[in-house]
Coordinates of all heavy atoms in Angstrom, one line a residue:
A447 N 49.5 15.8 -45.6 CA 49.7 15.5 -44.1 C 49.1 14.1 -43.8 O 49.7 13.4 -43.0 CB 49.0 16.5 -43.3
S448 N 48.0 13.8 -44.4 CA 47.4 12.5 -44.2 C 48.3 11.3 -44.6 O 48.5 10.4 -43.8 CB 46.1 12.4 -45.0 OG 45.5 11.1 -44.9
L449 N 48.9 11.4 -45.8 CA 49.8 10.4 -46.2 C 51.1 10.3 -45.4 O 51.6 9.3 -45.1 CB 50.2 10.6 -47.7 CG 49.1 10.4 -48.7 CD1 49.5 10.8 -50.1 CD2 48.5 9.0 -48.6
A450 N 51.5 11.5 -44.9 CA 52.7 11.5 -44.0 C 52.5 10.7 -42.8 O 53.4 9.9 -42.3 CB 53.1 12.9 -43.7
V451 N 51.3 10.9 -42.1 CA 51.1 10.1 -40.9 C 50.8 8.7 -41.2 O 51.2 7.7 -40.5 CB 49.9 10.7 -40.2 CG1 49.6 9.9 -38.9 CG2 50.2 12.2 -39.8
L452 N 50.2 8.4 -42.4 CA 49.8 7.0 -42.7 C 51.1 6.2 -42.9 O 51.1 5.0 -42.6 CB 49.0 7.0 -44.0 CG 48.5 5.7 -44.6 CD1 47.6 5.0 -43.6 CD2 47.9 5.8 -45.9
T453 N 52.1 6.8 -43.4 CA 53.3 6.0 -43.7 C 54.2 5.9 -42.5 O 55.3 5.2 -42.5 CB 54.1 6.6 -44.9 OG1 54.4 8.0 -44.6 CG2 53.3 6.5 -46.1
A454 N 53.9 6.6 -41.4 CA 54.7 6.5 -40.2 C 54.6 5.1 -39.6 O 53.7 4.3 -39.8 CB 54.1 7.5 -39.1
A455 N 55.6 4.7 -38.8 CA 55.6 3.3 -38.2 C 54.5 3.2 -37.2 O 54.2 4.1 -36.5 CB 56.9 3.1 -37.6
V456 N 53.8 2.1 -37.3 CA 52.8 1.8 -36.3 C 53.4 1.0 -35.2 O 53.7 -0.2 -35.3 CB 51.6 1.0 -37.0 CG1 50.6 0.7 -35.9 CG2 51.0 1.8 -38.1
T457 N 53.5 1.6 -34.0 CA 54.1 1.0 -32.9 C 53.3 1.2 -31.7 O 52.3 1.9 -31.7 CB 55.6 1.5 -32.6 OG1 55.5 2.9 -32.4 CG2 56.5 1.2 -33.8
G458 N 53.7 0.7 -30.6 CA 53.0 1.0 -29.3 C 52.3 -0.3 -28.8 O 52.3 -1.3 -29.4
M459 N 51.7 -0.1 -27.6 CA 51.0 -1.3 -27.0 C 49.8 -0.7 -26.3 O 49.6 0.5 -26.2 CB 51.9 -1.9 -26.0 CG 52.6 -1.0 -25.0 SD 53.8 -1.8 -24.0 CE 54.6 -0.4 -23.2
A460 N 48.9 -1.6 -26.0 CA 47.6 -1.2 -25.5 C 47.7 -0.5 -24.2 O 46.9 0.4 -23.9 CB 46.7 -2.4 -25.4
A461 N 48.6 -0.9 -23.4 CA 48.8 -0.2 -22.1 C 50.2 -0.4 -21.6 O 51.0 -1.2 -22.1 CB 47.9 -0.9 -21.0
A462 N 50.6 0.6 -20.7 CA 52.0 0.5 -20.2 C 51.9 0.4 -18.7 O 51.0 1.0 -18.0 CB 52.8 1.8 -20.5
Q463 N 52.7 -0.5 -18.0 CA 52.6 -0.7 -16.6 C 54.0 -0.8 -16.0 O 54.8 -1.6 -16.5 CB 51.8 -1.9 -16.3 CG 51.5 -2.0 -14.8 CD 50.4 -3.0 -14.5 OE1 49.8 -3.6 -15.4 NE2 50.1 -3.2 -13.2
T464 N 54.3 0.0 -15.0 CA 55.6 -0.1 -14.3 C 55.3 -0.2 -12.8 O 54.6 0.7 -12.3 CB 56.5 1.1 -14.6 OG1 56.7 1.3 -16.0 CG2 57.8 1.0 -13.9
K465 N 55.7 -1.3 -12.2 CA 55.4 -1.5 -10.8 C 53.9 -1.5 -10.6 O 53.2 -2.3 -11.2 CB 56.1 -0.5 -9.9 CG 57.6 -0.6 -9.9 CD 58.2 0.4 -8.9 CE 59.7 0.4 -9.0 NZ 60.4 1.3 -8.1
G466 N 53.3 -0.6 -9.8 CA 51.9 -0.6 -9.6 C 51.1 0.4 -10.5 O 49.9 0.4 -10.5
L467 N 51.8 1.2 -11.3 CA 51.1 2.2 -12.1 C 50.8 1.7 -13.5 O 51.7 1.2 -14.2 CB 52.0 3.5 -12.1 CG 51.2 4.8 -12.5 CD1 50.2 5.1 -11.4 CD2 52.2 5.9 -12.6
K468 N 49.6 1.9 -14.0 CA 49.2 1.4 -15.3 C 48.6 2.6 -16.1 O 47.7 3.3 -15.6 CB 48.2 0.3 -15.2 CG 47.7 -0.3 -16.5 CD 46.7 -1.4 -16.3 CE 46.3 -2.0 -17.6 NZ 45.3 -3.1 -17.4
V469 N 49.0 2.7 -17.3 CA 48.5 3.8 -18.2 C 47.9 3.1 -19.4 O 48.5 2.2 -20.1 CB 49.6 4.7 -18.7 CG1 49.0 5.8 -19.7 CG2 50.2 5.4 -17.5
E470 N 46.6 3.4 -19.8 CA 46.0 2.8 -21.0 C 45.1 3.9 -21.7 O 44.5 4.7 -21.0 CB 45.1 1.6 -20.6 CG 44.1 1.9 -19.6 CD 43.3 0.6 -19.1 OE1 43.1 -0.2 -20.0 OE2 43.0 0.6 -17.9
V471 N 45.1 3.7 -23.0 CA 44.2 4.6 -23.8 C 42.8 3.8 -23.8 O 42.8 2.7 -24.2 CB 44.7 4.8 -25.2 CG1 43.7 5.6 -26.0 CG2 46.0 5.5 -25.1
V472 N 41.8 4.5 -23.5 CA 40.4 3.9 -23.4 C 39.6 4.1 -24.7 O 38.8 3.3 -25.0 CB 39.7 4.5 -22.2 CG1 38.3 3.9 -22.1 CG2 40.4 4.3 -20.9
S473 N 39.9 5.2 -25.3 CA 39.0 5.6 -26.5 C 39.4 4.9 -27.8 O 38.6 4.9 -28.7 CB 39.1 7.1 -26.7 OG 40.4 7.6 -26.7
S474 N 40.6 4.4 -27.9 CA 41.0 3.7 -29.1 C 42.3 2.9 -28.8 O 42.7 2.9 -27.6 CB 41.4 4.8 -30.2 OG 42.6 5.5 -29.8
R475 N 42.8 2.3 -29.8 CA 44.2 1.7 -29.6 C 45.2 2.9 -29.5 O 45.0 3.9 -30.2 CB 44.5 0.8 -30.8 CG 43.6 -0.4 -31.0 CD 44.0 -1.1 -32.2 NE 45.3 -1.7 -32.2 CZ 45.6 -3.0 -32.0 NH1 44.6 -3.9 -31.8 NH2 46.8 -3.4 -31.9
P476 N 46.2 2.7 -28.7 CA 47.2 3.9 -28.6 C 47.9 4.2 -29.9 O 48.3 5.4 -30.1 CB 48.2 3.4 -27.5 CG 48.0 1.9 -27.5 CD 46.6 1.6 -27.9
E477 N 48.0 3.2 -30.8 CA 48.7 3.5 -32.1 C 47.7 4.0 -33.1 O 48.1 4.3 -34.3 CB 49.4 2.2 -32.6 CG 48.5 1.1 -32.9 CD 48.3 0.1 -31.8 OE1 47.8 0.6 -30.7 OE2 48.6 -1.1 -31.9
L478 N 46.5 4.1 -32.8 CA 45.4 4.6 -33.7 C 44.6 5.7 -33.2 O 43.3 5.7 -33.3 CB 44.6 3.4 -34.2 CG 45.3 2.3 -34.9 CD1 44.3 1.1 -35.2 CD2 45.9 2.7 -36.2
V479 N 45.2 6.7 -32.5 CA 44.5 7.8 -32.0 C 44.2 8.8 -33.1 O 45.0 9.0 -34.0 CB 45.3 8.5 -30.9 CG1 44.6 9.8 -30.4 CG2 45.5 7.6 -29.7
T480 N 43.0 9.4 -33.1 CA 42.7 10.4 -34.2 C 42.1 11.7 -33.5 O 41.6 11.7 -32.4 CB 41.6 9.9 -35.2 OG1 40.4 9.7 -34.5 CG2 42.1 8.5 -35.7

């Protein structure tokens, strides 16, 4: 399972914002959540 996730594509961005609404992961990078 570890190797399966490791080989997955690393994508994403630190935060997403549309108009006035902003979403961000505070505890880690969004592409490196554990």
Side-chain angles (χ1 to χ4, degrees):
S448 175
L449 291 176
V451 178
L452 181 65
T453 55
V456 178
T457 59
M459 48 189 171
Q463 186 164 1
T464 303
K465 296 182 180 179
L467 202 62
K468 180 179 181 181
V469 178
E470 58 185 323
V471 178
V472 179
S473 49
S474 70
R475 298 175 64 104
E477 66 269 56
L478 297 177
V479 173
T480 69

